[in-house]
Every structure is written in structure tokens, then in C-alpha cells.
Amino acid sequence: MPNLPELLHAAVSDLGGTQRPGQTQMAQAVLDAVDKEEHLLVQAGTGTGKSLGYLVPAILHAQRSGKPAIVATATLALQGQIIDRDLPRLATALAPILGRRPTYALVKGRRNYVCLHKLEGGFPDEDEGLFDVGEADASAGRLGKEVVRLREWAQETESGDRDELVPGVSERAWRQVSVAAEECLGSRCPMAGECFVERSRAAAKDVDIVVTNHSFLAIDAFEGRFMLPEHELLVIDEGHELVDRITSTITDELTPGMVKRAAKRAPSADSSDVLDDTALVLERALEQLPEARIDAVPEQLALALAAVRDAARTVQSELKPQPGEQIDGAKQVAIAAVDEIFDNSARMLEERELDVLWNRVDQRRGAVLNVAPMSVAMLLRDKIFQDRTVILTSATLELGGTFDALAGTIGLRGEGAPAYTGLDVGSPFNYPEQAIAYVAATLPAPGRGGLSDQMLDEIEALVRAAGGRTLGLFSSMRAAREAAEAMRDRLGESEISILCQGEDQISTLVRDFARDPTTCLFGTLSLWQGVDVPGSSCQLVLIDRIPFPRPDDPLASARTEAIGRMGGNGFMAVSATHAALRLAQGAGRLIRSASDRGVVAFLDSRMMTARYAGFLQRSLPPFWPTTDRQLVLSALQRLDQTAPPPREVPKPGKRTLQGVAAEAAEKVDADGAAHAEPEKPTAPPPPPPENARTAVTSGHPWTEHDDEELRDGVEMGLSLDELAESLELPEEIIAARLQGLGLEISPETQLSFD
């Protein structure tokens, strides 16, 4: 069995990089933690090569133990990077040493996949009375066209994964072809054997690395569904997000509309009318409440919740299937809807010690009653950190030089806490020479009335100086949209274009931003982390304001008050810590490689003037600081004028059942065992399959157009390096394809580059 240094050296060398001390230190610490069965918190700054730092020892562990390692991320962007970029290249690099190609799979929640049974009309429509999914046609308008496109795509996709569909469709259209886990018929489904979800999860059982997300991990652990394969090693990347993602996953809500829909879903139940009547009782009770945290359930609300709970329990009994009864999609959806109503109303009435209850008003849905745990520390200790080794990693885990704050929120402090080791491996980047941290100190402190004219002037000046190349990170979607519209108006006929979150899937927007240096991308929380755009397409990161939680945020205020009651500083422990982590993550979007240069511009003068400014500044990478506006504008102009072309962005392609991009999929023996391909083919590869989009030569998907270009180039007498340059591919890839097509370069041409 090969050792870790040998594998890490092969991986880094094959990827054309050099080993970094922090990466080597991290990889060894991960393997040591597995051997000791002890948890590890490892802070790895940008540029460390964090992914390889845990993927290589995870693969080695999987090979030794015969059990997969689980990797969970917070964002789809990082999930895609690992499954589409890191693991395919790593598998190719390690295959010759391991004797076989490491295998991997992507596992997501059911809502991310198209449901074939729903496509065939096996479930009621999400939008009542809109149209039957099975009869959708272009005449139904934009939504109908999207569903028609989804139906056509479903006939050709291997994975059914929504991320494969580019351009994407609206959330409303996607709901027409997908079901939630609670609505699924499971083994009773007539199309269970063809189900994309079941097939993808079955395909993930025997791989080395399973990639998933924090929310799926929470559902698997807390709800006992056991959707992930048995494992001994769990790596949680973007670990600073774990508490918030887990909290969000186990937050419940209740609205009068939910109650009415549940009743409407269950017309066969005798008591459905009674349940429907309780919606009005709940609505009247919520109308009496302010939009705020509820510290004690008032009598009228308690009576309304009890009425909803009791009516839902009766309908549950009436919907319970009789022995041997076949449940169809409509009844399963009804059962799921009524179960949710019962569970949520019962939980809210319990008033558990750590639960926080609050009322909010949604413009579309009206009053919404929410309940969430103030702390998930003990849940994480019991459900995540038991019976396995957990590696928690991020570029931002330490605050004030210690892991104590994070460890406390995830259950690794206090009596009975499991042992852990904390490690900071630093970053190899020279931040003071690569980036400027600019604070627009002359701007007024941000208010609540939207973006000021002065701030919009500042954004315009910075974007013009940068020639585009701007990632705008805003504290709210309203601010992001306001800035996007204002810049479109102000920039007018210039070549600079503005993209805004919400206009397409995040992955599509990020790809478009990375491809075109004259493009700006504005957005909010999901862009503050996980977006990885190295190169010249991102040379300016704008941050509109310090990202404190809202003063009326129910969970933040409850936590702040609880810490205050214990004698601590609630503001610094909750609000300032939240802001520091967000700022560090946002600023970290700028420098993604050793050659990157640029500016992070903070448009909030409190970064200089507030009493907590020093704490926030120390949370950032050590960029060169300034408040000199003209210096920054000049620097951005120089960077724009001297910027190299943007880095190539791979196009999304078809996916396999494992969620892996088809061009990176492993070749499989007849007995199902994946094997490694030689680094340089010694025999002609098999002829291309009928579907050229899935043809693979050394990991590159070929099309008929590519082959035509190659044939034309050979006829023109081009040399191997000229062909490689023309097709923008490595020479060994071109050579392999030439063999596969039976084409030869003339000896005279061959001499020209030997």
C-alpha cells in the first residue's frame, strides 16, 4: 500500500503544482486524526490546496478500510469544484500508484433530481390548476415551455441532476417535475427501478469518496434516514458554515396557507374541512402579533396551534393506509403535507427550552410562524461527532487566535465533549503585495433607506476603473438588485455588463462572470463564500456594508441575550463574530492564486471608525490597507490595462448516475470494477460511441466538430504542437485522439517539432 507522502507528491506533480508546507502538514494531520480516532479542526488559508490536503488522505483511508469517506460542503460552488475539477484530476494522478482509479460520487437531496413518475402525471401539480405536467406544451406560456424543455431533457440525461441543465429553469418550473423526500412513494413507486435518486445513491455505495452538502448530512443524521453509506471518516469543508446550515435545516415553519393546502391535498379525509377551518383561526391569531420573537406563546396563539395540531392528527388517522392498500402520488403528497402541519404545530406548542419562536411577514405568503433551536451544539455532538472521525476545515475557523468559539458552538467544549485537535496551517500567498484593502472612509455610514447616491457614485467609479472584473457582495438582495439596476443605467452603452443573482442559477452566473472580464456579478450571501474565480476576471471585490445580523434577527438576539445573562459580551460574541466571519469569507474571494492581484473595497466607513473596527480588520487577510481613493482607482486602471486573458472555464456537460461529469467518468470493467487508464495510451482507444458528447479520450469529451478540425489540421500538414495550440489541448490528448482516428502526422511535419 503506498504511503501518504508518495500519493501527495504524485497528485501535486501531476497537477503541475508544487507541494506547499501547509498542505503537507494538513494532509498528515488528517491521516493522524483518523488513526487516533480524534476530531480535527484545521484552518487552511486560501492557496493552501485545502481540497487535496484532505482528499488524498481520505482516498488512502478508503483504500485501507474498504469504506468510503464522506465530504460535505456548504455551497454548491465548492461541491461542483470538488466533483468536477479536483477529484477527476486527482483520480488520474493517483491511479498508477494505487493500481486502480479512485472512484467518487455526488449525493444530493431528492428535490435536486427530476422525478420520472411526476413527469408521467403520477403526482398532483405544485401549482393547482396550472396544467397537467404530462400535457404541458409551448402554448402554456413561459412555464409551459420550460416544462416541455425539462421533459425533453429528462429523456436524454443520465443523472436527472438539475445542475446539468444549462441554462436553468425557474424554481416554479422545477417544482413541476420534482418531489420532496416526504412526498416520494419510495419502493411503492411504479418507476422506482428507473428513479434517478435511487440509482444515484445505489451507485454511490461502493465508491471511495462521496460528496454531499451540510443540509443532506443533517437530514441523514438527525432524521435517521441513513441515506449515506456507512463510513468512518467525515470531512466537513466550509466548516464555519456548519452551525448555520444545520440550524436552517431543522428550522420549522407554519402558515395559514400551509394548513389550507394540506387540507386541500386531503379531500378524501372526512375531517379535511375541519383542518381547513383552523387556517382562519391561525391567521387571526397571527394578525394580533408583531413581527418579532415570541418569548412566551400567548393564549390566543396557543389555542390556534392546538386546534391545528388536533385537526391534523385526526386527518392523519383518516389518511392512514389500510393493510395492502396501494398509495398513489396524490395520497402520499397529502400525507406528507398533513404530517408537516402536525409536527410543526406540536413542536411550537411544546416551547422547548432551547427553541426560539418568532413571527415574520412574507410579502407573498403573509404571516409565517418559525421555530428553530438557539443552539445545535449538543445535537452536533450526539449525531455528527459520534462513531466517526470528523475533519472540520475552512479558511476561517479561528477567532482571536483560538478555536474555542467555534468548538463551543459545535459541541466540542464542556463536560463530556469528545477530544479534538486544532491546527492552523496558514496561507502561502503574499497578501500585502497581491491585494489592497480599501475603506471608503469619506462615505456616510450606511443607513436603512437603500444605497445612497454617494455609494452608487463610488461603485460606478470603482467599476469603471476596473473595466468590469467586479464581484459585488451585498448585505441584501434588495441592495444587490438596486446596485445592478443603477449600474446598468449609469454605464449605459459601455462594454461593461452587469449580472445579478437571481437571474439564473448561481453556477451559470459564476461561469459567465469568469469567462468575460468586462462583466460584473452582484449578489448576496451565497456569493460571499465558495465562489472561486482565479485570474483576471475578478480584480475588484465590493462589500457594501459590514454584514451584521439584523438587529431584530430572532436567533441572533436570543443568543446575544443568553450570553449577556451569563456575563459575556453578547454583541462581540454573536454580531461582531458573525460579521468577522462573513467579511473574511467575502474578502477571500479576491486572491485565489499566487498570480492574482486586486482590490477589496469596503464601502462602510465604520470599518475605520467603530470601536469594533480593529477586531474586524484582524479577521481579514493581511492586505495592504489604504483609504486613498485616487490611489485605488489608479491601481485598478493599471491592473485592467495589463491583465492577462481570463482563465478558461469548462462548459458543463452531461453527468453520470454518480453525479460525475461524463467526461470525467471512470471506465468500468464488465464486472463493475473501475480501473485506471495508462497516463499515455499505448494502444488505440476504442472507436467513438454514437453519442459524441460522452466520448472520452484521456478525460476530454470529443465532438464530431473536434474530429473534423483534427482531420483538417492533419491534411493541412500541421504539427502536433500546432494542432494542440489550435484545439487548446495538451499534446498527449491530441496524440491519443489521432491514434483513435487512425490519423498520422507526416514524418516531415513530425521533424518540425522534435
Side-chain angles (χ1 to χ4, degrees), residues 352-419:
R352 301 172 188 172
E353 182 180 357
L354 288 179
D355 268 356
V356 178
L357 184 69
W358 71 95
N359 181 44
R360 64 184 177 89
V361 177
D362 183 275
Q363 289 184 349
R364 182 175 60 88
R365 303 164 67 202
V368 181
L369 198 60
N370 287 96
V371 62
M374 182 168 59
S375 170
V376 295
M378 297 309 295
L379 278 172
L380 289 171
R381 178 189 293 187
D382 294 341
K383 299 295 186 179
I384 299 295
F385 289 93
Q386 291 289 345
D387 304 322
R388 60 184 131 186
T389 296
V390 179
I391 311 297
L392 201 77
T393 185
S394 168
T396 49
L397 292 183
E398 277 191 310
L399 286 174
T402 175
F403 292 95
D404 287 350
L406 174 72
T409 64
I410 60 177
L412 296 185
R413 294 187 69 192
E415 185 178 354

Side-chain angles (χ1 to χ4, degrees), residues 675-734:
H675 64 84
E677 295 181 67
E679 290 186 3
K680 293 187 178 181
T682 55
E690 293 182 5
N691 184 352
R693 284 173 296 182
T694 61
V696 178
T697 299
S698 298
H700 175 71
W702 283 85
T703 66
E704 293 178 3
H705 178 71
D706 292 331
D707 287 342
E708 288 176 7
E709 283 197 34
L710 202 57
R711 290 188 179 94
D712 290 344
V714 171
E715 290 179 5
M716 292 168 60
L718 296 182
S719 63
L720 181 60
D721 60 343
E722 288 171 334
L723 289 170
E725 182 178 356
S726 173
L727 288 168
E728 298 182 349
L729 289 169
E731 292 184 10
E732 58 267 23
I733 300 290
I734 300 298

Side-chain angles (χ1 to χ4, degrees), residues 591-610:
I591 303 300
R592 310 303 298 173
S593 72
S595 61
D596 287 350
R597 301 291 186 273
V599 173
V600 177
F602 301 93
L603 308 183
D604 190 334
S605 56
R606 293 176 296 175
M607 286 291 295
M608 294 294 296
T609 60

Side-chain angles (χ1 to χ4, degrees), residues 27-336:
Q28 188 60 57
V30 170
L31 198 59
D32 290 344
V34 176
D35 292 340
K36 297 176 183 176
E37 298 183 353
E38 184 177 275
H39 306 305
L40 172 68
L41 309 184
V42 54
Q43 178 165 286
T46 308
T48 304
K50 171 164 54 74
S51 297
L52 285 188
Y54 61 70
L55 287 174
V56 173
I59 289 172
L60 181 58
H61 166 73
Q63 296 263 318
R64 290 175 176 176
S65 67
K67 294 182 179 179
I70 309 295
V71 175
T73 74
T75 62
L76 289 175
L78 180 57
Q79 193 178 79
Q81 174 189 319
I82 292 171
I83 203 75
D84 291 336
R85 190 179 75 181
D86 295 341
L87 279 170
R89 298 161 71 187
L90 185 57
T92 299
L94 299 186
I97 300 175
L98 294 173
R100 71 170 179 85
R101 186 181 177 90
T103 55
Y104 47 91
L106 178 65
V107 174
K108 299 181 181 180
R110 194 169 293 273
R111 270 288 191 195
N112 292 282
Y113 299 88
V114 68
C115 172
L116 295 174
H117 189 38
K118 191 165 189 176
L119 274 176
E120 297 302 319
F123 286 85
D125 297 334
E126 288 286 335
D127 296 284
E128 298 291 347
L130 177 66
F131 54 78
D132 188 298
V133 170
E135 299 174 355
D137 58 42
S139 66
R142 177 186 171 189
L143 182 60
K145 292 177 182 177
E146 287 185 323
V147 176
V148 168
R149 181 164 159 251
L150 282 168
R151 288 176 58 78
E152 293 171 348
W153 168 72
Q155 301 304 313
E156 63 181 39
T157 176
E158 292 183 27
S159 70
D161 184 346
R162 182 178 183 178
D163 279 350
E164 180 187 315
L165 186 66
V166 178
V169 296
S170 65
E171 183 61 29
R172 191 178 177 206
W174 186 255
R175 288 200 307 267
Q176 299 296 322
V177 299
S178 64
V179 298
E182 299 80 6
E183 299 168 342
C184 176
L185 294 173
S187 60
R188 302 188 304 272
C189 178
M191 304 191 76
E194 303 167 66
C195 176
F196 288 121
V197 177
E198 298 306 322
R199 291 167 64 201
S200 69
R201 291 179 187 172
K205 287 183 178 179
D206 298 318
V207 299
D208 297 310
I209 304 292
V210 175
V211 181
T212 187
N213 57 59
H214 293 182
S215 297
F216 192 91
L217 176 68
I219 294 169
D220 180 77
F222 300 155
E223 298 186 10
R225 296 187 193 170
F226 307 111
M227 297 173 289
L228 292 171
E230 183 181 349
H231 57 280
E232 297 173 348
L233 173 61
L234 167 64
V235 179
I236 300 176
D237 204 339
E238 300 175 309
H240 63 282
E241 278 291 302
L242 181 64
V243 168
D244 285 347
R245 299 292 172 137
I246 296 294
T247 301
S248 177
T249 301
I250 56 180
T251 295
D252 289 325
E253 66 178 23
L254 188 66
T255 71
M258 289 171 61
V259 178
K260 291 184 74 65
R261 281 194 299 275
K264 191 174 183 179
R265 296 285 195 195
S268 62
D270 295 336
S271 301
S272 61
D273 289 343
V274 177
L275 179 60
D276 185 72
D277 291 340
T278 65
L280 181 59
V281 178
L282 178 63
E283 183 176 16
R284 288 174 176 170
L286 292 177
E287 286 175 350
Q288 307 301 316
L289 298 175
E291 192 173 4
R293 196 173 84 227
I294 302 170
D295 293 325
V297 179
E299 182 179 3
Q300 186 175 354
L301 178 59
L303 291 172
L305 288 172
V308 172
R309 177 198 60 190
D310 294 345
R313 180 161 47 201
T314 302
V315 175
Q316 278 180 318
S317 299
E318 294 170 354
L319 289 176
K320 187 176 181 180
Q322 300 300 314
E325 178 186 351
Q326 291 294 317
I327 300 178
D328 60 13
K331 187 165 187 177
Q332 184 62 39
V333 168
I335 291 172

